[in-house]
Structure formats: structure tokens, C-alpha cells
Amino acid sequence: MRPFVSRIDLSQTTGEIGKEFEARVHVESQRLGDPEFKIRSLPPGLRFDASTHTIVGVPEADGFYSVTVAVRKRRGAGIHFNTPGGAWFSERLSIDIFRPVDESGERKVWQDKGVARVD
């Protein structure tokens, strides 16, 4: 029997402070249907849009973020597999938010919001 969820990944993993970011959460599974998600430790300024399965927003702080994406089959969707009822499958993914540089190669100080924390 194949695993319930074989892979979770993002369509985009890098972004820039002050510019729109959009990354679709992709889940490889033949048995998942319309999944339920939990997303943790997003960079400041980003949020998860459950209706489109995307992480969207305008990043506010640079850094490397370790984001946890957890997924499970929605309740009432007829689970007929020998997996624990309501089991969450998760993956830790990285999102890199960078600070833009000006023409001289210097960081744009006006966008300095501090150092990002990695959980």
C-alpha cells in the first residue's frame, strides 16, 4: 500500500521584503481529496489562504524560516485506510525572505525590520 501522503512542497520558497509573495502548497497523495491544513511559523506578513491552498502576503522581515505544513484528510471524507483516524502528516519546509539591495549593493535600510527568528 502506498503512503497516505508521499510529499508536501511549495511552488515558491524565496521572497523579497515589501513584494507580494505567493506559494501554493502542493501535496502528493492519491487518497487525500480536499485536505485540511495547519501551517505554522510563517514569516511576518504572510498568511495561509485555505480556500486556494496558498501562502500569500507581503513579507516584513528577512531571514530563513522553517515552516511546518501539516495535512490530513477532512473528517467525514470516508477514510478507508489502515492509518490512524485523523492522522496529520507534516513536513518542515524552508522559506527564504531576502532584503533588496540598492544600485550600490547596499541593503535598503528603510526596510530593516529586524532579524527573523527560526523555530
Side-chain angles (χ1 to χ4, degrees), residues 35-84:
E36 179 179 355
F37 289 93
K38 284 186 186 177
I39 313 292
R40 294 198 173 134
S41 304
L42 285 173
L46 299 185
R47 64 179 176 76
F48 181 67
D49 182 339
S51 66
T52 61
H53 303 171
T54 56
I55 296 170
V56 295
V58 179
E60 298 172 352
D62 66 327
F64 294 97
Y65 295 85
S66 182
V67 177
T68 301
V69 177
V71 62
R72 74 176 175 181
K73 189 172 186 111
R74 289 191 187 276
R75 292 179 186 217
I79 297 176
H80 301 292
F81 312 106
N82 56 358
T83 59

Side-chain angles (χ1 to χ4, degrees), residues 12-15 19-23 46 55-59 95 97:
Q12 180 174 326
T13 58
T14 60
K19 290 196 177 178
E20 285 290 330
F21 178 90
E22 180 175 312
L46 299 185
I55 296 170
V56 295
V58 179
I95 295 179
I97 303 298

Side-chain angles (χ1 to χ4, degrees), residues 5-9 25-29 32 35 37 69 71:
V5 173
S6 58
R7 183 178 177 157
I8 301 171
D9 61 12
V25 177
H26 176 72
V27 179
E28 282 186 28
S29 173
L32 199 56
F37 289 93
V69 177
V71 62

